[in-house]
Amino acid sequence: MTGNMHLGVEEPIRECQYNQICTHNSSPMDTPHTKKKKIKRKWQVFPGRNKFYCNGRIMMAKQTGVFYLTTVLILVTSGLFFAFDCPFLASNLTPAIPAIGGVLFVFVMGMLLRASFSDPGVLPRATPEEAADIERQIDAANGPSGPGYRPPPRTREVVINGQAVKLKYCFTCKIFRPPRTSHCSLCDNCVERFDHHCPWVGNCVGRRNYRFFYLFILSLSFLTIFIFAFVITHVILRSNRTGFLSALKDSPASVLEVVVCFFSVWSIVGLSGFHTYLISSNQTTNEDIKGSWSSKRGKGNYNPYSYGNFITNCCAALCGPLPPSLIDRRGFIQPDTPQPAAQTNGTGACPSNQVQSHMAATNPLLHSQPIILGGGAPLQAKTSLGGPCSTLGPSQASLPSSIPGLSCGGELMALRDSEIHCHHHPHHQHFISPEETPSPTAALPCATHLGHNVHPAQLFDPASQDSLHEDSVRGLVKLSSV
Amino acid sequence: MATEFHNLQELRHSASLATKVFIQRDYRDSTICKFQTKFPAELDSRIERSLFEETLKTLNCYYAEAEKIGGQSYLEGCLACATAYIIFLCMETRYEKILKKISMYIQEQNEKIYAPRGLLLTDPIERGMRVIEISIFEDSGSTSSSSSGSSPSSSTAQ
């Protein structure tokens, strides 16, 4: 019986090995190709309409023209102030004036750049499995619908602090939006605690950069009033000595500064006041404009997010913990060799072997190296499905190594199943198209075993891969004991 | 060699991804990060309810601690504001430190509790803090009913 089992088991292996050898032989031919391709970072395949600079460190909206205008206005006005007015004021009044002005200016620019360049709190889009799970739940909730019947809008209701809040389904991001999250149509992202999209800042204002935005407009109000006041003082002092017209002739920049400051002070101070009110009542601009918590909507309508008193609300908004970015924009995409054709050929030739090799990929480090190399090879094309599993936390060296390996393979398996059952090739193609280049992300055991397949020479190169290897093996050996 | 393959073949047959369960966020306490502790039906045969709830409760505690608005967060916020947020270039925020702790905890839970039962938790940060993804691996060696295949093995694992 053992012998029979041997035979029964060995022949598929032999076939599998034959397939493995085929693809293994073909992969070195592709390796020069894939080696030449650059390793892509996640920001390069980000689905939203954002612009990234400095290799993903800076994130802004698509339209940034008005941001440059803001920057130029602030720089020019402040520059003129320091160049033309400050020498007079420093010598005639006190050098503290340019010092304070300098501090204010640096603070304003710092807050502006911080508000413009940081991630406002973008929610990454749902993975295909998540989206499918939510769809199933929605269908179950809505029940069967006849032909021509438009299903009701997808909403979920949740009670927060006694107030009923509707959570809407985002068709773009395929998630139910958390409370206070809104989808920005300009940036095409769901943003947590969405306040508004600010063209002056060139970015959305949301959970992660609201405090920078508020400090920017607050400090800019002070700077504007400061410059306005001291330019007027300068002109008055000069005209006391030499007359008004000659004072203006001596310092023409002052006129420009006064004009700019005069016209901007109303809007900026007004905006600061408005946002101070919003912060003290813990509302977003979005909610205020829609009147979500207005008493006009209903008698029992109140803001469930408010802490009750304005001091706590202010402290929470400005001094609360700053959550990290959920989109790992500088992370590397999972390695992937685009061989969907080879994949399907393999399927056609040897379906049972595919299943086995899928399992090998699912438990890549469970088996000895040759099996990994062999079994994983046909799945090179699918390794980009580690895309979702490659969305790692921002700066976490201590990632659970057993998770990415399995979930990578797991997702491969899940999608493979869908292919076998539903023949959703277009779905596959669509999913893997953005991520077609390999990346030697040493931190991922997924990458490790895939790296093995793609670059056998790199099998033992990164020392860090080995330790993660061990972790994954440990984890998976335990799994195998099931 | 052949024997080795034979054993590995069996091992290979022993686990393949069957399905994924998603634990959604619980928004009843406003927008703080908290996951629903409702025990999913798919895990009924795989893990004890108490273990699962313990894991989830600990995770929720960690997240609550990270998002707590209190003395330490105020201090950090004020210090950061005073230095025009340059200080965050040098030091890690409290939130990030706790996220690292959560990562370690999930890894530990996976190694000790979930992997032996054919389950795997994915760190929510990898899913945009929307869900806790639990991958369920089935014992595909037993063809028809997965539960019959997995339950004796899970009992031996315990």
Side-chain angles (χ1 to χ4, degrees):
Chain A
M1 195 174 121
T2 321
N4 285 345
M5 279 180 70
H6 252 283
L7 280 171
V9 168
E10 263 184 328
E11 276 183 36
I13 291 176
R14 231 180 276 130
E15 281 178 48
C16 212
Q17 282 180 339
Y18 176 77
N19 275 346
Q20 293 158 13
I21 290 166
C22 278
T23 49
H24 196 59
N25 282 342
S26 63
S27 60
M29 280 164 28
D30 295 324
T31 356
H33 259 298
T34 49
K35 261 184 182 163
K36 278 179 192 166
K37 278 188 195 168
K38 271 190 172 181
I39 306 138
K40 275 195 176 173
R41 289 189 191 253
K42 287 176 199 167
W43 65 265
Q44 291 171 294
V45 297
F46 185 70
R49 243 180 273 138
N50 288 91
K51 272 198 215 161
F52 295 90
Y53 303 103
C54 288
N55 202 6
R57 287 182 183 89
I58 291 172
M59 176 177 179
M60 295 181 76
K62 199 172 174 194
Q63 306 289 344
T64 50
V66 188
F67 163 71
Y68 294 124
L69 174 69
T70 311
T71 317
V72 160
L73 271 175
I74 296 173
L75 286 173
V76 165
T77 314
S78 308
L80 289 175
F81 176 72
F82 289 123
F84 292 97
D85 300 88
C86 280
F88 181 90
L89 291 164
S91 53
N92 287 285
L93 285 178
T94 162
I97 294 171
I100 294 169
V103 167
L104 264 177
F105 169 72
V106 166
F107 194 77
V108 164
M109 286 310 294
M111 291 299 106
L112 171 64
L113 296 179
R114 203 63 215 242
S116 304
F117 294 166
S118 52
D119 169 17
V122 173
L123 281 177
R125 298 189 183 183
T127 58
E129 289 96 6
E130 260 183 83
D133 186 63
I134 292 177
E135 290 272 341
R136 253 180 275 128
Q137 286 178 28
I138 292 170
D139 289 337
N142 284 346
S145 56
Y149 170 69
R150 192 197 162 91
R154 298 167 170 191
T155 54
R156 261 185 200 163
E157 207 165 271
V158 67
V159 177
I160 299 174
N161 286 338
Q163 181 83 337
V165 176
K166 267 205 169 74
L167 304 183
K168 289 190 185 155
Y169 180 77
C170 181
F171 286 91
T172 314
C173 304
K174 297 206 171 36
I175 56 169
F176 272 99
R177 280 186 220 127
R180 313 192 96 178
T181 302
S182 197
H183 190 94
C184 176
S185 48
L186 289 162
C187 301
D188 204 23
N189 293 318
C190 269
V191 178
E192 277 189 297
R193 204 190 181 279
F194 180 75
D195 194 84
H196 66 286
H197 181 100
C198 187
W200 300 95
V201 151
N203 205 356
C204 287
V205 176
R207 184 179 177 203
R208 294 189 73 247
N209 66 349
Y210 184 62
R211 69 191 69 187
F212 307 129
F213 173 76
Y214 178 72
L215 290 171
F216 163 64
I217 56 173
L218 192 67
S219 53
L220 186 62
S221 331
F222 287 131
L223 183 68
T224 315
I225 294 171
F226 185 85
I227 292 178
F228 186 72
F230 281 106
V231 166
I232 300 278
T233 311
H234 173 213
V235 170
I236 289 172
L237 288 176
R238 257 194 207 268
S239 41
N240 281 347
R241 294 180 196 177
T242 58
F244 183 66
L245 285 171
S246 60
L248 289 181
K249 237 193 315 177
D250 290 334
S251 138
S254 307
V255 180
L256 178 67
E257 289 165 53
V258 165
V259 166
V260 169
C261 288
F262 181 77
F263 286 111
S264 22
V265 77
W266 306 108
S267 47
I268 293 169
V269 171
L271 198 61
S272 305
F274 174 62
H275 277 280
T276 308
Y277 155 72
L278 287 180
I279 282 184
S280 62
S281 60
N282 202 331
Q283 284 188 86
T284 63
T285 306
N286 202 26
E287 286 164 356
D288 187 72
I289 287 174
K290 286 183 188 167
S292 308
W293 314 122
S294 162
S295 50
K296 292 175 197 168
R297 277 216 178 184
K299 211 174 173 190
N301 206 30
Y302 60 91
N303 183 5
Y305 310 110
S306 173
Y307 292 96
N309 66 84
F310 87 96
I311 293 173
T312 320
N313 285 338
C314 289
C315 292
L318 301 175
C319 300
L322 188 65
S325 174
L326 297 173
I327 50 165
D328 176 33
R329 38 193 205 273
R330 282 181 45 82
F332 287 105
I333 297 167
Q334 281 290 314
D336 176 46
T337 45
Q339 295 159 5
Q343 197 63 48
T344 49
N345 287 344
T347 315
C350 172
S352 58
N353 296 336
Q354 285 295 338
V355 176
Q356 287 172 7
S357 51
H358 301 156
M359 283 189 255
T362 309
N363 307 307
L365 301 157
L366 189 58
H367 318 290
S368 64
Q369 302 292 355
I371 304 287
I372 295 168
L373 285 166
L379 285 152
Q380 287 169 19
K382 295 304 169 188
T383 58
S384 66
L385 304 176
C389 90
S390 69
T391 53
L392 303 164
S395 51
Q396 297 171 15
S398 58
L399 280 168
S401 47
S402 50
I403 292 170
L406 274 177
S407 59
C408 251
E411 275 152 12
L412 287 161
M413 185 61 192
L415 276 157
R416 222 39 188 127
D417 278 339
S418 74
E419 188 184 30
I420 290 165
H421 296 307
C422 314
H423 304 286
H424 270 164
H425 288 266
H427 173 70
H428 270 294
Q429 302 284 344
H430 169 71
F431 191 55
I432 68 172
S433 54
E435 300 140 340
E436 289 180 4
T437 51
S439 95
T441 314
L444 298 171
C446 219
T448 303
H449 81 259
L450 296 165
H452 295 169
N453 299 328
V454 179
H455 309 284
Q458 286 180 9
L459 192 70
F460 305 103
D461 280 350
S464 58
Q465 284 186 9
D466 290 337
S467 58
L468 286 162
H469 231 291
E470 284 169 39
D471 286 346
S472 302
V473 172
R474 220 185 319 129
L476 291 160
V477 162
K478 282 184 183 160
L479 183 66
S480 72
S481 65
V482 172
Chain B
M1 187 73 163
T3 324
E4 209 180 280
F5 278 157
H6 177 81
N7 290 337
L8 289 166
Q9 192 74 16
E10 278 184 313
L11 286 171
R12 212 188 291 168
H13 276 296
S14 69
S16 59
L17 183 70
T19 183
K20 290 189 185 185
V21 180
F22 297 97
I23 312 289
Q24 301 285 342
R25 285 268 294 269
D26 181 3
Y27 293 115
R28 286 174 301 177
D29 286 339
S30 188
T31 50
I32 62 161
C33 185
K34 193 176 168 192
F35 291 95
Q36 292 176 1
T37 48
K38 184 170 147 270
F39 189 68
E42 294 91 334
L43 298 180
D44 213 4
S45 54
R46 305 303 295 256
I47 189 168
E48 293 82 8
R49 190 181 280 255
S50 56
L51 284 172
F52 175 79
E53 283 175 0
E54 180 64 38
T55 310
L56 233 58
K57 231 194 308 179
T58 315
L59 282 176
N60 282 339
C61 280
Y62 271 124
Y63 285 119
E65 193 193 322
E67 299 196 13
K68 196 174 69 162
I69 303 166
Q72 202 177 349
S73 77
Y74 286 158
L75 197 64
E76 196 183 53
C78 290
L79 182 68
C81 185
T83 60
Y85 294 92
I86 295 168
I87 198 164
F88 284 150
L89 295 169
C90 322
M91 75 172 216
E92 229 175 25
T93 64
R94 200 166 135 261
Y95 207 112
E96 282 168 351
K97 284 184 193 144
I98 293 178
L99 283 178
K100 281 205 171 140
K101 270 199 241 173
I102 290 170
S103 232
M104 304 276 290
Y105 174 73
I106 289 177
Q107 186 176 3
E108 181 209 323
Q109 288 285 292
N110 272 330
E111 283 175 6
K112 287 189 188 160
I113 297 174
Y114 290 86
R117 288 168 172 76
L119 300 170
L120 205 63
L121 291 180
T122 304
D123 195 339
I125 195 82
E126 296 177 26
R127 296 288 176 267
M129 304 282 264
R130 290 186 306 265
V131 287
I132 299 177
E133 190 179 291
I134 304 176
S135 310
I136 302 177
F137 291 87
E138 294 292 354
D139 186 1
S140 55
S142 59
T143 47
S144 48
S145 90
S146 52
S147 51
S148 59
S150 57
S151 40
S153 45
S154 60
S155 59
T156 51
Q158 290 167 27

